[in-house]
Amino acid sequence: MKNRIVRGIAGSFILISLVLAIYVNINWLWFTAFVGANLLQSSLTKWCLMDDILTKVFKIKD
């Protein structure tokens, strides 16, 4: 369940930042790159910051 939430949040962040880059400022693409880099990092290290946040704030377990 938590894995699906993390993927949904990451996808939403990417889509929102793309819309902001088109309509507000091109520099929002840096946020898109940040989310992508975190996804890559979590696939290599098996550690995800959003996973930890969901566990601590909302008490969501696997």
Side-chain angles (χ1 to χ4, degrees), residues 12-29:
S12 298
F13 281 172
I14 289 172
L15 292 175
I16 290 168
S17 67
L18 288 174
V19 169
L20 287 170
I22 292 170
Y23 293 109
V24 178
N25 189 332
I26 195 74
N27 286 324
W28 278 101
L29 290 178

Side-chain angles (χ1 to χ4, degrees), residues 32-52:
T32 307
F34 174 75
V35 173
N38 277 304
L39 287 169
L40 179 63
Q41 172 268 327
S42 69
S43 72
L44 297 173
T45 63
K46 297 181 183 169
W47 178 79
C48 178
L49 178 61
M50 184 58 70
D51 205 358
D52 288 350

Side-chain angles (χ1 to χ4, degrees), residues 2 4 6-7 9 11 13-14 18 33:
K2 189 169 31 172
R4 291 180 62 190
V6 170
R7 289 180 185 183
I9 291 170
F13 281 172
I14 289 172
L18 288 174

